[in-house]
Amino acid sequence: MTQSPSDLPFPHVDDVGRDSGTTLITRVSEARVRPERFEAFRDFILSTVRAFPDRHPGLVSHEVLLAPPGTLLYVSRWRSEGDLVAFAGEHWRDQPVVLPGEDEYLVAPLQVRHFTLVPLC
C-alpha cells in the first residue's frame, strides 16, 4: 500500500541529526502569482521571510525559488512536526500559511506540500 506524505510519521526534534536516519521535514509553499505583480510579490516575500529564522527556532533553513512570470516557491526545512505546528498550526499538513495582504498578488490559493529526504548513500 502506498502512503501519502501526510500519512508518514515525522521525526521529533531530538532525533534530527542523530545516526537514526531521520531527516528534516521540507515544506514547499507554491504561489501562483499575477504576472504583473510578480516583482512586487517577490519583494514582499523576501522582506517577510528574512526574519523567520529569528522568530521560528525550529526553522533550519529556507529559500525562495523563482519561476517568472508566475510562480514562486518558498522552501523551508524544519526539525520536527512540533516545530511545524508552532509555525503553521495544527493543520500544517494541508493548510498553507497565508500572510496578511498576500491574496492580492495571487491568481490561485497557495498550495503546500511536505517531503522528507532519502539519502542516496
Side-chain angles (χ1 to χ4, degrees):
M1 181 173 155
T2 303
Q3 291 181 313
S4 75
S6 62
D7 295 331
L8 298 173
F10 287 96
H12 184 272
V13 65
D14 295 335
D15 295 331
V16 173
R18 292 189 181 167
D19 292 333
S20 65
T22 59
T23 60
L24 302 173
I25 303 168
T26 300
R27 179 179 174 93
V28 178
S29 298
E30 180 176 356
R32 302 297 312 233
V33 184
R34 298 177 192 283
E36 69 277 8
R37 305 292 316 272
F38 188 82
E39 289 183 24
F41 184 67
R42 178 202 61 212
D43 294 344
F44 170 72
I45 292 298
L46 291 175
S47 67
T48 302
V49 302
R50 278 193 179 106
F52 278 10
D54 293 333
R55 294 174 46 206
H56 305 287
L59 178 61
V60 175
S61 68
H62 65 155
E63 60 198 355
V64 174
L65 304 176
L66 307 174
T71 303
L72 181 146
L73 301 179
Y74 176 62
V75 180
S76 54
R77 289 169 195 85
W78 298 85
R79 287 186 298 196
S80 71
E81 182 175 343
D83 292 315
L84 267 169
V85 170
F87 170 70
E90 290 294 326
H91 300 286
W92 65 270
R93 293 178 190 269
D94 305 315
Q95 294 179 359
V97 172
V98 179
L99 302 170
E102 190 170 17
D103 287 340
E104 71 183 68
Y105 298 97
L106 305 178
V107 296
L110 288 173
Q111 299 294 311
V112 65
R113 294 179 290 170
H114 300 88
F115 304 88
T116 55
L117 177 69
V118 176
L120 296 175
C121 47

